Structure formats: C-alpha cells, structure tokens
Amino acid sequence: ELKVEQNPLFLSMQEGKNYTIYCNYSTTSDRLYWYRQDPGKSLESLFVLLSNGAVKQEGRLMASLDTKARLSTLHITAAVHDLSATYFCAVDMNRDDKIIFGKGTRLHILP
Amino acid sequence: GAVVSQHPSWVICKSGTSVKIECRSLDFQATTMFWYRQFPKQSLMLMATSNEGSKATYEQGVEKDKFLINHASLTLSTLTVTSAHPEDSSFYICSARWGADEAFFGQGTRLTVV
C-alpha cells in the first residue's frame, strides 16, 4: 500500500528565510505533484515532476524529485507572507490508478 | 492546463436527503476520475476511482451504497451522497485524467448537511 509522508506538518517562519518541505513515499511512482491550497479553496497546481532528477522552479518555489530515494522536496527561498498556505504533495501510481496525498504542510510566514 | 469543472460549488441539504455533485472535464476526455473528501484542516482522502463505463473502485472504509459514483461518459462523473447526515459535511473534490496523463482537479464542492 502506498504511503506518502510529508514533513514538517506545520511550519512557522520569518519572511526572508529559506526552508524545505519533504515528501517521502513508499513505492515506485509515475508522477509527483505539488499543490498549494488556501483556506476554503481548492487546489492550485504548482509542479508536476516525472523523472528522476527533475527540478522545476517558479518564483520563490523550487521542487525536485529523487525517484531512487523516493523523495521530493519543495524549497522556499526568501519567503514572503503571500506564500502562507497549505502545501500538499501527491503521488501518482498509474498502475494502481490512484493518486495519494500527503498530510500537507501548513506554512505560516510571519511578516 | 486542462479544465475540470465541479457543480455545485457549495450545497446545503437537509439530513436524510440525497445530493448529487457533478464533475466535468471541459476540454479533454477523462478515462479516469477520482473523488476525494477533505475535512477541515486535513488532507484529501481518496474515496474512489472511476473509469468510464465501469463500476467505481472504492477505497477501504468508504460505503459504496452511500456514495454512489457514476462515470457514464468520458466527460462526466457524478457523486451522489445518499441519505446525507451532518457527518457527511465536507469538501468534495474530483480529479480527471486521460489514460496515464497528468490529472487535473476541480474547484471542489462544499457540502453542508443540516
């Protein structure tokens, strides 16, 4: 059974600091997603990672994937208050027709 | 990215009634649709996976007679919550994809049962 573990689950940080959110998963995956969710809203797609060593960047966010270690990271550079949200990773297993989410990381950036 | 539309965005219903939520892929055909439930401040829990023309596959612990899923066409799947009770109040989100392609998520439906 696929397990997806995210850490930390809660993160409070100062503006301007850097931090990394980790997503570990237990079996081989076909695709890994990162999403942002604001309170009361649905998901906003941030990144889709397909292959080992994939790295994608958008603004202050950068995501990477290591399929051998079954690990993805979401790195935040010089955080700003607008990045406060909950971030989810989700692992796609085509052969089992499932997309399983991590528990999410609630990020609170202090001005 | 592709567009997945859910309707309604929010619904309030009385306890004991049934409510139907629609999930449509607007600009692509979806061979597979996923239904998730999200309680406040929790993650998305996969309820079931549906393939067009086939019966849905439900996750363990999800009552198939209570949460009826119909994937009747390549652009539409419906989730019907039957005999809804207050504990069914939640945020329901669907996702759709073609084959093994990237999945796209709807905007969600907030169900409140009173």
Side-chain angles (χ1 to χ4, degrees), chain B residues 50-109:
Chain B
S50 72
N51 291 293
E52 187 265 339
S54 304
K55 288 185 179 179
T57 301
Y58 289 79
E59 293 298 299
Q60 195 171 8
V62 178
E63 299 174 60
K64 59 181 69 175
D65 294 332
K66 181 167 184 62
F67 299 99
L68 301 179
I69 292 172
N70 184 359
H71 191 163
S73 78
L74 284 170
T75 58
L76 173 65
S77 176
T78 59
L79 167 67
T80 301
V81 183
T82 62
S83 187
H85 290 286
E87 58 265 30
D88 298 323
S89 298
S90 188
F91 194 47
Y92 292 86
I93 305 177
C94 72
S95 175
R97 70 163 164 213
W98 169 263
D101 288 354
E102 177 183 349
F104 297 93
F105 283 77
Q107 75 272 31
T109 297

Side-chain angles (χ1 to χ4, degrees), chain B residues 13-79:
Chain B
C13 70
K14 289 185 177 180
S15 188
T17 63
S18 296
V19 61
K20 181 185 286 187
I21 302 169
E22 293 186 347
C23 178
R24 293 182 185 273
S25 55
L26 297 187
D27 51 1
F28 69 102
Q29 292 185 319
T31 50
T32 304
M33 289 191 176
F34 305 93
W35 286 96
Y36 293 85
R37 179 168 55 183
Q38 185 181 32
F39 292 110
K41 298 185 178 179
Q42 293 189 24
S43 186
L44 282 76
M45 300 303 298
L46 180 64
M47 300 174 67
T49 303
S50 72
N51 291 293
E52 187 265 339
S54 304
K55 288 185 179 179
T57 301
Y58 289 79
E59 293 298 299
Q60 195 171 8
V62 178
E63 299 174 60
K64 59 181 69 175
D65 294 332
K66 181 167 184 62
F67 299 99
L68 301 179
I69 292 172
N70 184 359
H71 191 163
S73 78
L74 284 170
T75 58
L76 173 65
S77 176
T78 59
L79 167 67

